[in-house]
Amino acid sequence: MSKIEQTVSIPHLGGSVVGYTLSGQYNPDLPTLVLINSYTTSAELYRPQFANTALTSAVNLLALEPYGHGRTRAAYQHFTYWDSAVANLQVLAALGIDQAFVLGTSQGGWIAARMALLAPEVVRGIIPLGSSMDSETLQSRQLGCWDALEFCTPFIEAFADPVSDEWVVPEQFVDDTFDAALGGLSPDEREFWLATYRTNYSGDGGRRRLLLSTINLRDRDGLHGRLHDITSPVLWLHGSEDKVYSVANAEKEILMFTGATEVRLEVIEGGHHFLSASKPAEVDSAVLEFIKSWS
């Protein structure tokens, strides 16, 4: 069955259009798994999952692109991760989906957590991949996480001023992002992502979305004080080779979900930060088992 790539209009932020990819015609008899992509990527991050027939035959896959990413646009210029969580919930309502499991890579993980906080009656379980529930703190760096200020601030400064319609995202930005997230790309994958980024981040509008996405990453609020209010089951998957957020940080934060029905951290050997791309077979298997156990 061919996947469906469309947009849907919702009222949030003065009126928004949200990009979504569905694995085929929605089947109400199957559970739905929402997929939220990582920083500056798009629904294309989950190509391995959409190609996995064992997964697509068992669940409705629904990739939703956050504000600042892919095809998603808003009337208001500023947005936060809370806004993306609200938007995702409004998309589910617009598509007639009452409940869903939510998987998110990196920033997608903390958007998933926000969705569970805002609408526990909708979110049946969350699956953070290579994520963190903290802001970018000294404590997280002491636990082996990256220095987001060092990574983000030069790009925030570089993207601060208006540009012409001919502007496209610099190759160096794409290379630096994927070096941190996947340890680099093969030549074919690099060409694919360069083309994707140039489509999503071009002209002054693209420059501004890239700027705000980077500001959000660096300056976001943490969730440590709220995690006890998440009641849905939590499966946290983390790669042993994650260069952005450490296993030690995940081991500490998984203990903060004190109100969840079940919490489990699984470390996938050899997995990188963009875990669903670096270890798709292992991720898909763990996700299917989790969904079946809670459906």
Side-chain angles (χ1 to χ4, degrees):
M1 191 178 295
S2 299
K3 64 183 180 182
I4 299 168
E5 298 177 282
Q6 293 186 2
T7 60
V8 59
S9 296
I10 58 167
H12 195 56
L13 290 188
S16 300
V17 173
V18 176
Y20 74 89
T21 301
L22 188 62
S23 51
Q25 290 297 322
Y26 174 69
N27 184 346
D29 295 327
L30 296 179
T32 296
L33 176 63
V34 170
L35 306 170
I36 309 173
N37 56 274
S38 52
Y39 167 68
T40 66
T41 64
S42 63
E44 297 289 351
L45 180 69
Y46 295 110
R47 285 173 293 151
Q49 284 64 51
F50 282 98
N52 184 342
T53 55
L55 189 59
T56 58
S57 64
V59 301
N60 299 297
L61 290 184
L62 176 63
L64 301 180
E65 295 172 322
Y67 286 114
H69 296 72
R71 299 155 288 174
T72 297
R73 303 288 185 272
Y76 295 168
Q77 287 192 332
H78 283 270
F79 50 83
T80 70
Y81 294 115
W82 289 101
D83 290 312
S84 288
V86 171
N88 287 353
L89 293 168
Q90 290 186 357
V91 169
L92 290 175
L95 296 179
I97 300 172
D98 296 329
Q99 292 186 321
F101 295 89
V102 186
L103 177 153
T105 299
S106 191
Q107 68 172 13
W110 56 72
I111 294 173
R114 284 165 168 78
M115 291 174 66
L117 287 165
L118 293 172
E121 73 283 0
V122 174
V123 177
R124 301 183 64 181
I126 64 171
I127 309 167
L129 306 185
S131 194
S132 169
M133 299 295 145
D134 201 358
S135 54
E136 295 294 341
T137 62
L138 174 60
Q139 183 182 56
S140 72
R141 293 192 290 275
Q142 290 173 337
L143 287 168
C145 298
W146 75 332
D147 189 333
L149 281 70
E150 182 179 69
F151 180 91
C152 295
T153 301
F155 288 120
I156 290 171
E157 293 172 351
F159 302 148
D161 297 324
V163 295
S164 70
D165 291 342
E166 289 72 38
W167 184 88
V168 292
V169 60
E171 290 188 20
Q172 188 63 51
F173 176 85
V174 180
D175 288 338
D176 288 353
T177 298
F178 281 93
D179 283 346
L182 284 172
L185 294 169
S186 69
D188 287 347
E189 279 292 292
R190 183 177 185 272
E191 285 305 309
F192 172 85
W193 281 113
L194 278 175
T196 301
Y197 272 67
R198 286 167 176 162
T199 297
N200 293 337
Y201 298 112
S202 63
D204 197 55
R207 186 274 311 173
R208 183 168 181 80
R209 290 192 299 276
L210 189 58
L211 170 66
L212 290 172
S213 296
T214 308
I215 291 171
N216 282 341
L217 178 62
R218 187 191 68 178
D219 298 346
R220 71 184 184 278
D221 58 320
L223 295 176
H224 283 181
R226 304 176 191 262
L227 295 179
H228 66 277
D229 278 340
I230 292 179
T231 55
S232 65
V234 179
L235 172 64
W236 187 316
L237 303 178
H238 214 93
S240 65
E241 304 305 309
D242 194 319
K243 296 180 180 178
V244 178
Y245 298 120
S246 67
V247 171
N249 188 68
E251 289 172 339
K252 177 179 179 179
E253 291 188 330
I254 194 70
L255 301 177
M256 297 179 183
F257 291 90
T258 55
T261 308
E262 178 190 67
V263 292
R264 191 163 81 249
L265 170 66
E266 293 186 15
V267 177
I268 296 180
E269 194 63 33
H272 289 274
H273 183 55
F274 288 177
L275 190 57
S276 65
S278 67
K279 292 290 181 180
E282 292 84 346
V283 167
D284 295 357
S285 176
V287 167
L288 265 180
E289 179 186 349
F290 177 72
I291 291 175
K292 287 177 181 178
S293 67
W294 290 103
S295 296

